[in-house]
Amino acid sequence: MPVELEYDYDAAVASMDIFSQADFDIIKEWTQKLDKSKYVPKDLSDKQLLLFYNACYGEVEKTKMCIEKYYNLRKNTPEIFDNRVLSADDLQPSTEAFMFDILAGNAPVAPLVLHGVVGGGDHHQILDACLSKRGPQPGHIFLFDMQGVKLGHLTRVSLSSLRKFFQYVQEAMPVRMRAIHVFNTEPILDKLLMLIRPFMDKKFFDMIKFHHKNEDLEKFYETIVPRCALPPNYGGSLPDTQTLHKKCMQTLKSLEPYFRAEEEQRINALPDKKREKAMEKAFKNLDID
């Protein structure tokens, strides 16, 4: 089953600030020469590769490194990157407790709102859906909402998975990360930062901006994300958060064939013995009517 991303490749290339067909061909050829110990699929589509190329600003060696780290981390963090269907038992607590929105609008960067704990296992799934539909972007802004976050939520994320998650975000995620804004900061913020700060380098940590509940956000609207790209509870004009969350869940449900195909592509890229074990595990996770 091919991995089909929905965005328009030609339109994406035409809108990119950096693109060299010669460099892009070098990257494509490089993927064909890698041995299976790198876990990189040989059947990566141009759309998949373009995401990495754009995220690394067209730098060939950085793109290669990003691709290798991406597939290495996805191979070694199955609790986050495998069996990504909404009906899966592992995802039910998060989809029921947290809300996720993929925001639209005419912002110069692509904003995402993630309600819940930074590092939750579903955040990458939302991002993958965004990349499939939007393709390469000049930048992404993550908006985290801490309203209602309790100490018990932190226990849902293991330290090992948290470490891998931040390694993925900082070294392998195929996006241009511009900033992270955390709204409705709660007293638990200090404890959360104690937990996650060791996994963040200085450059990444400096991207994070915190906003308390009663803060005047007028400057944020003027310089970061306009009101037209935000729901009403952030002072915007989009539909309410519950409506956006419901639409987001419908989007993820519709993309389950894509998530399955992407996992199958990664399994097929594994060395033979590891592939057999992964296929057996994947088969057990299939929904059988």
Side-chain angles (χ1 to χ4, degrees):
M1 181 188 299
V3 179
E4 300 286 354
L5 282 74
E6 297 181 19
Y7 78 88
D8 186 313
Y9 176 83
D10 291 334
V13 169
S15 67
M16 288 171 60
D17 53 355
I18 300 172
F19 183 80
S20 163
Q21 187 63 56
D23 287 347
F24 192 71
D25 289 342
I26 289 173
I27 296 167
K28 290 174 63 176
E29 183 179 354
W30 167 80
T31 63
Q32 300 304 305
K33 296 179 179 179
L34 288 174
D35 62 59
K36 287 197 169 185
S37 66
K38 299 297 184 181
Y39 312 133
V40 177
K42 295 186 182 298
D43 59 342
L44 292 174
S45 68
D46 285 359
K47 287 184 179 182
Q48 287 177 288
L49 289 172
L50 192 66
L51 295 173
F52 294 102
Y53 179 82
N54 174 73
C56 297
Y57 296 87
E59 295 187 35
V60 173
E61 295 306 315
K62 284 188 177 181
T63 302
K64 292 178 180 179
M65 188 180 300
C66 184
I67 292 172
E68 282 194 18
K69 289 183 176 180
Y70 178 92
Y71 283 102
N72 183 278
L73 284 165
R74 291 209 165 198
K75 156 65 177 62
N76 291 308
T77 319
E79 67 273 21
I80 293 179
F81 296 110
D82 290 356
N83 195 29
R84 298 186 294 169
V85 293
L86 294 186
S87 58
D89 292 341
D90 290 345
L91 289 185
Q92 282 302 302
S94 293
T95 56
E96 291 172 1
F98 302 146
M99 291 188 292
F100 310 93
D101 309 331
I102 301 177
L103 302 180
N106 297 317
V109 291
L112 302 177
V113 172
L114 306 171
H115 301 243
V117 179
V118 176
D122 305 293
H123 296 165
H124 75 90
Q125 191 174 5
I126 308 300
L127 180 62
D128 280 7
C130 180
L131 292 176
S132 175
K133 290 185 172 296
R134 294 177 177 169
Q137 297 289 319
H140 279 80
I141 290 178
F142 281 15
L143 311 179
F144 284 91
D145 190 340
M146 287 194 66
Q147 186 170 8
V149 174
K150 306 298 181 184
L151 187 61
H153 290 139
L154 302 183
T155 63
R156 300 184 182 187
V157 185
S158 71
L159 288 179
S160 175
S161 295
L162 199 61
R163 176 181 59 79
K164 293 175 183 177
F165 173 83
F166 278 103
Q167 186 180 0
Y168 171 77
V169 169
Q170 295 173 99
E171 302 176 14
M173 191 168 62
V175 302
R176 297 181 181 183
M177 177 74 77
R178 299 293 193 189
I180 300 171
H181 290 265
V182 182
F183 292 101
N184 295 313
T185 53
E186 299 275 0
I188 195 178
L189 177 62
D190 290 341
K191 293 184 175 63
L192 177 60
L193 288 177
M194 286 179 59
L195 181 67
I196 66 176
R197 183 65 181 90
F199 305 120
M200 295 185 283
D201 60 35
K202 184 179 185 303
K203 180 180 178 181
F204 183 81
F205 185 74
D206 289 344
M207 290 185 185
I208 305 176
K209 310 300 178 186
F210 300 100
H211 305 277
H212 60 75
K213 293 180 181 180
N214 299 317
E215 182 178 332
D216 183 354
L217 295 175
E218 202 58 45
K219 186 175 180 181
F220 176 83
Y221 303 138
E222 293 175 358
T223 61
I224 309 297
V225 180
R227 290 178 182 272
C228 65
L230 293 167
N233 50 316
Y234 303 105
S237 56
L238 289 181
D240 64 87
T241 301
Q242 290 283 356
T243 300
L244 292 172
H245 173 66
K246 182 177 180 180
K247 183 178 180 180
C248 181
M249 292 300 101
Q250 291 171 344
T251 296
L252 293 184
K253 184 69 176 177
S254 71
L255 286 173
E256 285 183 4
Y258 161 73
F259 293 131
R260 291 190 188 277
E262 190 274 338
E263 183 176 348
E264 182 180 324
Q265 184 185 53
R266 287 187 281 114
I267 290 174
N268 289 336
L270 298 176
D272 292 342
K273 290 185 178 180
K274 291 184 178 181
R275 185 173 72 250
E276 290 175 5
K277 291 182 180 179
M279 289 178 67
E280 181 179 350
K281 181 180 179 181
F283 179 77
K284 289 180 180 179
N285 288 328
L286 288 175
D287 292 328
I288 304 177
D289 296 331

